[in-house]
Amino acid sequence: MLHKLRSYGFNARIFEKAPHIGGTWYWNKYPGARCDTESLQYSYQFSEELQQEWEWSEKYATQPEILKYLKHVEKKFKLSESITLNRTITDIIYDGKAGLYKIRSNHSEEYYSKFCILASGCLSVPIKPNIMGVENFTGEIFQTSKWPDKNIDFNNKNVAIIGTGSSGVHVIPIIAEYCKKLFVLQRTPNYAVPAHNRKLSDEYVKKFKDNYKVNREKAKKLVSGFLTHYNSASALEVNDSELKREYDKRWEAGGLAFLAAFCDITYNKSANKTATDYIESKIKEIVEDQEIAKLLTPNSIVGCKRLVIDSNYYATYNRKNVALIDINQEPIKALTEKTLKLKNIELDIDTLILSTGFDAMTGAINNINIVGENSKTLKDKWSSGPSSYLGLMVNGFPNLFTITGPGSPSVLTNMIPTIEQHVDWIAECIRYMKKRSYYSIEANLEAERSWVKFNEDSARNTLRYECKSWYLGSNVKDKQRIFLPFVGGLPAYIKKCEEIVKNSYEGFRFSN
Ligand code: N01
């Protein structure tokens, strides 16, 4: 966004809470952290030179490699001079008369800006359980999403981990290799499909890069924004051996493309059951102790919660030093000086790892005191659930944009192309306004309401409402249950954004 705005001649500055750039890829540096979208696609496409010169080493890039890439981008486009690190923005207050936002930081600084763009992340506010007696614990507590900048020695340590979402599933097999004993405290099992990560061959990379432009264009026409083969056949129309052949192929290839094995997996319960039956049979096959296999079996809808991509997760439970504990049977009671007390068991532990998720999509925005027209706060406006037009703007908050805000495809798609689409849309909009000497832009209330309703109705037609998930805000106490990302896929979303622009920014109003 900064690069694009500067290239259009605007003056812009980034404020970043962390002491380093990288966002999610700075904070989540737990052992085993890597992206589950293929590296050649989980990368910027705004610069052909950049995408040709950067060399990804593996199918799924590790956190350090992605952070290195982001540092390279920062250096290449000389971004650091316009980035202020170690700044938490506390207030963003609209002054309608001046046509400016007053932006305050935790360093008591004040800045004024005509436009304000929130690029504060979809999964950037970690949540953690309140465990009684935490102050008495003499061991160490780490959170995957706030992992410290140091090597942690797990040798000879008894470790407990809470949380078995993507982050937990990534870190568990790695720590299991080093620690003395690992206790995995599971509340809800997830479906996991293998990553089958590998080094990228020169030949594969060359072929992909030679066709980068075409590949990127093709990807934009797919619901996930990710280039893969979407099978148009229904899981209910093929015979058992065809069904197995397709799932075997997807399992062997690895990754999120498993959900594209048949066209109706995410819409039809019976079709979904063919996929869950397949994964559950794999769990039984991999895990030696069938009682443990049963505990790891979700008996749910695959793709309702975010599908997890793993390396060696289920096989980790065959290790002698790993114990799986169902906290529905053995609820966590308290921490003592050296133990974690459950209902009937007391675990001697040196280290506790929390991998308990995020206040998704609205958490970071709601953490800022954002005041719009008529002194109304965004938090008040969103008290009965977030509303936004396209996940880009909110009525009552002129000139305030959100990148991948609630109501955008974001987390259901390949994040980087999705982010770039927002960046381009916002930059073009600001340029359009400058050309016409418009003073402000604001989303109309009607347009916003109909977008929220359209998305909610569409989400209810999928299987996404069949479980509790962070997509619905159900992992955060008292959070309104509303489907947060746009469920209609990237092509439909892009088409809508383009039509709106073509119709002179339909649903928005400008003032001059
Ligand atoms: O968080 P989660 P995450 N007591 O919310 C459990 C992205 N990501 O950090 O399911 C006990 O998925 C909770 O249990 P339950 C990806 O989009 C991407 O793992 O609520 N347990 C669950 O098991 C992902 O979806 C990559 O019953 C508690 C876990 O903690 C998103 O980030 C890598 C609890 C939280 O799982 C979030 O993943 C990693 C409590 N009080 C993450 N509270 C990539 O590779 C929560 N839990 C790109």
Side-chain angles (χ1 to χ4, degrees):
M1 187 81 248
L2 173 62
H3 174 65
K4 185 96 186 180
L5 287 172
R6 287 202 314 202
S7 71
Y8 282 0
F10 295 106
N11 182 20
R13 174 154 289 276
I14 289 179
F15 297 99
E16 165 59 52
K17 178 178 177 175
H20 201 286
I21 63 152
T24 225
W25 297 109
Y26 166 76
W27 294 104
N28 292 267
K29 42 182 135 43
Y30 56 86
R34 63 169 78 236
C35 187
D36 60 13
T37 303
E38 291 178 21
S39 51
L40 280 156
Q41 299 196 55
Y42 188 85
S43 50
Y44 292 122
Q45 56 190 290
F46 68 84
S47 159
E48 176 62 10
E49 192 180 288
L50 171 67
Q51 65 179 5
Q52 289 297 337
E53 76 190 2
W54 184 260
E55 287 173 16
W56 293 106
S57 62
E58 293 176 75
K59 178 182 170 194
Y60 297 112
T62 59
Q63 175 271 332
E65 191 170 27
I66 301 174
L67 200 56
K68 200 168 147 203
Y69 167 72
L70 293 172
K71 275 305 274 182
H72 171 77
V73 174
E74 184 196 39
K75 193 163 171 222
K76 183 175 176 74
F77 299 101
K78 300 185 175 55
L79 303 178
S80 59
E81 63 205 43
S82 302
I83 302 177
T84 307
L85 298 170
N86 293 305
R87 286 298 183 284
T88 300
I89 296 304
T90 54
D91 307 84
I92 300 175
I93 299 166
Y94 188 60
D95 177 344
K97 274 194 196 134
L100 292 173
Y101 276 100
K102 179 156 67 176
I103 298 162
R104 277 200 207 111
S105 80
N106 61 338
H107 284 234
S108 308
E109 300 143 327
E110 281 185 2
Y111 304 89
Y112 293 85
S113 180
K114 183 168 173 185
F115 295 96
C116 182
I117 302 167
L118 299 175
S120 43
C122 292
L123 293 156
S124 49
V125 176
I127 49 174
K128 60 179 179 186
N130 284 326
I131 305 178
M132 227 171 56
V134 64
E135 66 286 356
N136 303 325
F137 185 57
T138 53
E140 290 186 294
I141 302 181
F142 301 111
Q143 199 159 5
T144 45
S145 47
K146 284 185 171 175
W147 203 262
D149 263 323
K150 61 173 188 183
N151 276 335
I152 297 159
D153 185 9
F154 290 103
N155 277 304
N156 259 328
K157 297 270 169 68
N158 285 346
V159 182
I161 177 162
I162 306 177
T164 51
S166 297
S167 308
V169 168
H170 287 181
V171 79
I172 285 166
I174 308 281
I175 292 184
E177 278 180 37
Y178 299 103
C179 68
K180 190 159 113 195
K181 184 88 195 169
L182 180 64
F183 303 102
V184 179
L185 301 161
Q186 174 187 273
R187 189 163 70 182
T188 316
N190 261 308
Y191 288 105
V193 165
H196 295 310
N197 188 40
R198 55 170 191 271
K199 292 269 172 226
L200 289 171
S201 71
D202 293 347
E203 198 190 351
Y204 178 83
V205 172
K206 182 175 181 321
K207 196 167 164 214
F208 203 93
K209 284 189 173 179
D210 284 350
N211 296 292
Y212 237 140
K213 204 167 183 294
V214 177
N215 287 338
R216 299 287 202 182
E217 283 311 311
K218 278 189 193 159
K220 273 186 202 154
K221 295 191 171 69
L222 299 169
V223 278
S224 63
F226 174 73
L227 193 59
T228 192
H229 173 59
Y230 278 81
N231 188 357
S232 57
S234 157
L236 304 174
E237 284 168 0
V238 295
N239 62 35
D240 286 355
S241 65
E242 282 171 281
L243 199 69
K244 182 167 174 338
R245 198 177 327 122
E246 186 62 31
Y247 284 135
D248 278 347
K249 202 170 82 188
R250 301 273 169 168
W251 187 269
E252 280 316 309
L256 291 164
F258 186 87
L259 288 178
F262 294 100
C263 68
D264 40 6
I265 293 179
T266 54
Y267 288 91
N268 180 300
K269 264 192 187 169
S270 308
N272 195 280
K273 175 109 180 35
T274 65
T276 56
D277 283 350
Y278 182 85
I279 302 177
E280 288 171 11
S281 72
K282 286 287 180 190
I283 300 173
K284 275 191 198 145
E285 202 177 293
I286 300 168
V287 180
E288 288 157 10
D289 181 332
Q290 290 306 298
E291 283 306 308
I292 301 286
K294 219 190 258 175
L295 267 187
L296 288 166
T297 301
N299 298 311
S300 178
I301 304 277
V302 62
C304 185
K305 281 177 188 272
R306 170 68 146 66
L307 180 65
V308 175
I309 304 306
D310 80 288
S311 293
N312 243 0
Y313 178 63
Y314 293 124
T316 296
Y317 292 95
N318 296 333
R319 296 179 65 99
K320 295 265 174 297
N321 67 334
V322 177
L324 179 65
I325 298 167
D326 176 5
I327 59 167
N328 301 296
Q329 300 295 325
E330 282 293 336
I332 298 166
K333 291 293 179 194
L335 272 164
T336 70
E337 207 181 312
K338 290 184 185 311
T339 68
L340 182 62
K341 274 187 162 175
L342 311 180
K343 190 176 162 206
N344 299 301
I345 319 170
E346 193 157 356
L347 309 171
D348 288 326
I349 59 165
D350 305 293
T351 310
L352 175 64
I353 298 175
L354 303 172
S355 185
T356 42
F358 301 87
D359 182 356
M361 300 203 70
T362 53
I365 299 175
N366 275 335
N367 273 353
I368 306 173
N369 173 41
I370 302 177
V371 184
E373 280 172 331
N374 307 318
S375 305
K376 275 207 164 152
T377 67
L378 186 60
K379 217 172 175 171
D380 274 350
K381 169 155 177 148
W382 282 3
S383 59
S384 52
S387 54
S388 159
Y389 186 32
L390 304 166
L392 276 166
M393 290 201 98
V394 180
N395 171 262
F397 298 83
N399 292 357
L400 182 86
F401 295 95
T402 49
I403 293 182
T404 65
S408 69
S410 53
V411 291
L412 293 180
T413 59
N414 181 2
M415 283 301 285
I416 308 297
T418 282
I419 286 170
E420 287 192 276
Q421 188 261 346
H422 268 198
V423 164
D424 290 346
W425 196 96
I426 294 167
E428 292 309 331
C429 175
I430 295 178
R431 191 156 74 154
Y432 175 93
M433 288 173 68
K434 190 177 178 196
K435 272 194 198 146
R436 285 160 184 78
S437 303
Y438 287 145
Y439 169 91
S440 74
I441 177 171
E442 185 179 349
N444 290 332
L445 189 57
E446 276 317 302
E448 179 179 292
R449 281 188 179 149
S450 75
W451 183 251
V452 173
K453 184 173 177 331
F454 172 63
N455 193 39
E456 195 59 12
D457 292 347
S458 311
R460 283 179 193 275
N461 280 332
T462 70
L463 299 175
R464 304 265 187 200
Y465 262 88
E466 300 286 324
C467 67
K468 289 184 182 168
S469 73
W470 59 258
Y471 293 138
L472 274 166
S474 37
N475 63 332
V476 177
K477 195 169 173 273
D478 299 332
K479 192 165 171 171
Q480 292 298 321
R481 209 157 186 252
I482 183 167
F483 199 78
L484 290 163
F486 173 67
V487 81
L490 194 58
Y493 180 82
I494 293 177
K495 189 164 171 256
K496 178 80 181 164
C497 288
E498 286 174 354
E499 275 170 14
I500 284 168
V501 172
K502 223 159 116 201
N503 295 331
S504 309
Y505 286 86
E506 190 182 0
F508 293 95
R509 62 172 175 274
F510 294 101
S511 93
N512 52 8

